[in-house]
Amino acid sequence: MIKIGELAKISGCSVQTIRHYEKEQLLSAKLRSDGNFRLYDHADIERLLFIKHCRSLDLSLAEIRQLLTLHHSPMSQCDDVNQMIEQHIEQVERRIAELTLLNKQLKALRRSCTSKRTVEHCGILKQLNKAVSQSN
Amino acid sequence: MIKIGELAKISGCSVQTIRHYEKEQLLSAKLRSDGNFRLYDHADIERLLFIKHCRSLDLSLAEIRQLLTLHHSPMSQCDDVNQMIEQHIEQVERRIAELTLLNKQLKALRRSCTSKRTVEHCGILKQLNKAVSQSN
DNA sequence: TTAAAGTCTATAGTAACTATAGAGTCAATA
DNA sequence: TATTGACTCTATAGTTACTATAGACTTTAA
Ligand SMILES: [Zn+2]
Ligand SMILES: [Zn+2]
Ligand SMILES: [Zn+2]
Ligand SMILES: [Zn+2]
């Protein structure tokens, strides 16, 4: 059995993050030492690494909680897992599209300034203001 | 002079958002009515639309505050504005790259499930677990 | 006159952490 | 053995840009 600091080292999560996951019911130390220190075993390490991998895919803690539950009810169907992943993919693709558009706009904005001018004549601020009077 | 509700309608921001911008020192009603209601004029409308446009470019409130300050010190140089916009572009591009990678991984994960199986044999959960034992 | 709609301040919640404070525990050294 | 330092504990507040209340007050219209 290891203490939280070692689990943090092994997993690459911070100690606070591990305690946070406990509060969020993703991972719990089943045992405590005499001095009330959390104690973890190998299964806990694997569970935390699973969580970490899911987080690297930007899954929310709520989604991970759901996956962990399904994980431990092996007779349930795949459909829930599938649907979640698909929705997640859609969300990521929406965000990519948004940011791509944003990027274009920002670059156009950037081009409107040729520097070495005073802000008074700055194309960037002019552009930002033009947009204002247009939408107004 | 208009009240906050009308400013909200004109700008498309919510009333709470406008009050929030005031707390964040982006926009203030210089006048109050007898009954202590905020009163706004045309300049305020423009200022709020400017803020809104900047927000649509995902600029943070702190960045917008900085732009508004420069805006009203017309003799300062463009460089600060430029640098901010450039950093912002870099950040957006980093995020796009991250999400693009994420998207690939999620799609691969999605392909590993052919549905209609029980979770016990689900390729998705198997994949997520494989990654765990690999990094372990 | 009274009811509805609008506004006020202050406070809490959102997501997933991060960072304290203040107290207790443990291992190793002097 | 005493004490230092590292570690851990709980609880609380901060981050970002809002959103959503509660409870009181003001204004407008019927
Ligand atoms: Zn998701
Ligand atoms: Zn410029
Ligand atoms: Zn930025
Ligand atoms: Zn499956």
Side-chain angles (χ1 to χ4, degrees):
Chain A
M1 305 293 276
I2 56 173
K3 284 183 288 181
I4 198 167
E6 202 177 335
L7 180 58
K9 253 183 228 153
I10 291 170
S11 65
C13 296
S14 77
V15 166
Q16 298 104 297
T17 297
I18 295 170
R19 287 198 279 244
H20 180 64
Y21 288 164
E22 181 174 310
K23 205 194 311 181
E24 294 294 323
Q25 320 226 42
L26 295 178
L27 175 74
S28 69
K30 291 128 223 147
L31 287 176
R32 292 285 182 119
S33 72
D34 287 349
N36 198 34
F37 287 8
R38 290 170 178 85
L39 296 175
Y40 300 96
D41 61 17
H42 188 71
D44 296 322
I45 297 174
E46 289 205 341
R47 194 179 170 97
L48 180 53
L49 288 173
F50 178 89
I51 294 168
K52 211 192 158 192
H53 185 217
C54 292
R55 283 297 298 142
S56 79
L57 295 172
D58 246 15
L59 292 166
S60 69
L61 298 192
E63 287 167 330
I64 297 170
R65 196 182 299 118
Q66 198 184 333
L67 280 179
L68 285 167
T69 305
L70 289 172
H71 206 327
H72 295 284
S73 33
M75 296 317 287
S76 58
Q77 299 297 313
C78 286
D79 299 13
D80 295 344
V81 182
N82 283 340
Q83 215 183 344
M84 176 198 302
I85 299 294
E86 255 159 40
Q87 279 176 11
H88 202 70
I89 289 172
E90 278 166 29
Q91 193 193 310
V92 168
E93 288 181 346
R94 266 198 306 277
R95 188 62 184 149
I96 289 173
E98 274 173 28
L99 288 178
T100 302
L101 178 59
L102 206 61
N103 198 25
K104 259 186 212 153
Q105 294 171 331
L106 284 167
K107 281 183 165 169
L109 193 61
R110 175 65 187 84
R111 276 195 299 277
S112 66
C113 172
T114 45
S115 200
K116 300 298 166 201
R117 283 188 270 180
T118 56
V119 161
E120 191 177 13
H121 301 104
C122 179
I124 291 180
L125 286 171
K126 272 186 191 166
Q127 282 297 115
L128 286 170
N129 265 322
K130 206 198 295 181
V132 165
S133 41
Q134 272 166 7
S135 59
N136 194 8
Chain B
M1 304 293 278
I2 57 172
K3 286 184 286 180
I4 198 166
E6 202 177 336
L7 180 57
K9 251 183 229 155
I10 292 171
S11 65
C13 297
S14 77
V15 167
Q16 298 103 296
T17 297
I18 296 171
R19 287 198 278 243
H20 179 65
Y21 288 164
E22 180 173 311
K23 205 196 309 182
E24 294 294 323
Q25 321 225 41
L26 295 178
L27 176 73
S28 69
K30 290 128 224 147
L31 287 177
R32 294 284 182 122
S33 72
D34 286 350
N36 198 33
F37 288 7
R38 290 170 178 84
L39 296 174
Y40 300 96
D41 60 16
H42 187 70
D44 295 321
I45 297 174
E46 291 207 340
R47 194 178 170 97
L48 180 53
L49 289 173
F50 178 88
I51 294 169
K52 213 194 158 194
H53 185 219
C54 291
R55 283 296 300 141
S56 80
L57 295 172
D58 245 15
L59 292 167
S60 69
L61 299 192
E63 286 168 331
I64 297 170
R65 195 182 302 118
Q66 197 185 332
L67 279 179
L68 285 167
T69 304
L70 288 172
H71 208 327
H72 294 285
S73 31
M75 294 319 284
S76 58
Q77 298 299 313
C78 285
D79 299 14
D80 295 344
V81 182
N82 282 340
Q83 214 184 344
M84 175 198 301
I85 299 295
E86 255 160 40
Q87 277 175 14
H88 203 70
I89 289 173
E90 278 166 28
Q91 192 193 311
V92 168
E93 289 183 344
R94 266 197 306 276
R95 188 63 185 150
I96 289 174
E98 274 173 28
L99 287 178
T100 303
L101 178 59
L102 206 60
N103 198 25
K104 261 187 209 151
Q105 294 171 332
L106 284 167
K107 281 183 165 170
L109 192 62
R110 175 65 188 85
R111 277 195 299 275
S112 66
C113 173
T114 47
S115 201
K116 299 299 166 201
R117 284 188 269 181
T118 56
V119 162
E120 190 177 15
H121 302 105
C122 178
I124 291 181
L125 286 171
K126 272 186 191 165
Q127 283 296 116
L128 286 171
N129 265 321
K130 207 198 296 181
V132 166
S133 40
Q134 273 167 5
S135 60
N136 194 7

